[in-house]
Amino acid sequence: MTTLALQSLWSITAPPAPPSSRLVGARAAEVIVIGGGYTGLSAALHLAEAGRAVVVLESDDIGVRASGLNGGQVIAGVKHDPDQLQAMFGDDLGARYARTVSGAPDEVFELIARLGIHCDVVRTGWLQPADSPAALPPLAARAEQWRRRGAPVELVAREAMRELTGSQRYCGGLFDRRGGTVQPLSYARGLAQALLRAGGELFTRSPVLRLAKIAGGFRAETPEGRLSAAQVIVATNAYTGQLNAQLRRTVVPVPSFQVATAPIPAQLRATILPGGQAASDTCRLLRYFRTDASGRLVMGTRGTFAAAPTTHDARHHYRAVSEIYPQLAGLGFEYHWGGFVAMTADHLPHLHELAPGVLAGLGYNGRGVAMATVMGRLLAQRALGAADAELGFPVSAVRPIRLHAFSGLGVRATIQYLRLKDSLDRLGRRPPG
Ligand SMILES: Cc1cc2nc3c(=O)[nH]c(=O)nc-3n(C[C@H](O)[C@H](O)[C@H](O)COP(=O)(O)OP(=O)(O)OC[C@H]3O[C@@H](n4cnc5c(N)ncnc54)[C@H](O)[C@@H]3O)c2cc1C
């Protein structure tokens, strides 16, 4: 059992971040954005493009949290299917909500093209392979609901899924042509570059320790500086910390961990995800995987809470690779890293108005590459004065999760339980032949 050297593959292959410095002294702006991930960067970019004096304050560096650590899978939709969204929010708002989340990948890819961001874009779709025949009917219903709304989503049979994934493991599944992949850290850094070009400002290593109400607005206090503005956008997601206890308690941070193999040998490369799609399977603890521009397989699933994870902690990932791609036996694992996904009680992202002039957007439940980008645009529109009816997305009240203090214990127990159920399922089922 060896302690792992934690380093993300993305930190090796991304272009450098734009130059930035700490906030020192007293400054003023029109809008303060707290958090330099996709939510904050997208919000700030849209505000800067609308001519607002906007400043991002980031605790650490750009994209060092979820936005630079994730799987880079650009996925349409949220956890709920569109019919369910309409049932939850009514025909008008529900239909617009479904359109917004359906178009989320379009927004990401159009932004990348418009801004000239170099982030290894592949837009050949997203797969949801079915781990068991029982998973197929809900996927068929999902495909049908999206197709009814004109989205290019289809159910594919076992043979087609085998060809798409290069794995014998799955018995069919969903092929959603709206999705794709990006190099996630390159995307975050590209958004930061674009923000600076649009006239926005960015201070890194500048954690906001306190947000004070002052005459005409708010003052964000960092260890060495103070920034005042009429409006504030809080974009701290799973890493909200002590800044706002109410907001922090609306999400449960769940660890997700990834491993990347050595480059796949040339003779196998053309058989593993040959079309370049990304995949997230239907296991209870879903496994999400893709290849990158250098031909490595990147495999993720729920992770460990350990501060210094070991090879033992990564065993579920190694096992997932050998189960899904036994042909890769013997290929080494060169990168290991993880981060926290913000889960909400209703499995939906939330846009809150914390107080007049203070907005927050968070809780993407593992689908934030596209959705946090969209949320940033929605937050910017709201800060610019858009009314509820114009947003096409609900502005909801802050509802802290009950017994949040115990959620870490609950997450640990749930992960163990679901992993056990998945293992029992696999034992009880012959591999699809
Ligand atoms: C391992 C992993 C894999 C994932 N895979 C996928 C995937 O393949 N596809 C997908 O769609 N989604 C995925 N996600 C989810 C996705 O990464 C997130 O939903 C998205 O990045 C959220 O962006 P964000 O800007 O809201 O949060 P973050 O990127 O976490 O940004 C929040 C920022 O706020 C900063 N901050 C916190 N407190 C303060 C403060 N007081 N002052 C200043 N700054 C502060 C933090 O330092 C951080 O940089 C994954 C997440 C993880 C962790």
Side-chain angles (χ1 to χ4, degrees), residues 33-41 57-75 206-209 235-241 243 254-258 280 288 290 337-342 361-372:
V33 174
I34 305 175
Y38 302 142
T39 306
L41 293 169
L57 297 176
E58 163 55 45
S59 281
D60 203 310
D61 275 316
I62 289 306
V64 293
R65 301 290 179 248
S67 297
L69 297 168
N70 63 72
Q73 303 200 7
V74 184
I75 308 169
S206 303
V208 176
L209 306 174
T236 49
N237 203 32
Y239 296 88
T240 297
L243 182 65
V254 173
S256 193
F257 196 78
Q258 291 180 92
S280 302
Y288 55 98
R290 55 168 291 185
W337 71 98
F340 285 93
V341 173
L362 76 173
Y364 309 106
N365 297 274
R367 293 192 174 194
V369 178
M371 202 50 222

Side-chain angles (χ1 to χ4, degrees), residues 43 51 67 128 136 153 167 196 202 209 229 235 271 322 360 429:
S67 297
Q128 201 168 19
L136 286 170
V153 184
S167 170
L196 298 179
L202 182 62
L209 306 174
T271 66
S322 64
R429 200 176 53 238

Side-chain angles (χ1 to χ4, degrees), residues 344-398:
T344 54
D346 60 5
H347 308 292
L348 289 170
H350 297 156
L351 195 169
H352 301 301
E353 195 134 27
L354 299 176
V358 186
L359 298 170
L362 76 173
Y364 309 106
N365 297 274
R367 293 192 174 194
V369 178
M371 202 50 222
T373 307
V374 170
M375 180 65 81
R377 191 254 303 156
L378 293 167
L379 288 164
Q381 281 179 282
R382 184 68 169 189
L384 291 166
D388 285 10
E390 291 169 65
L391 283 183
F393 192 89
V395 179
S396 56
V398 174

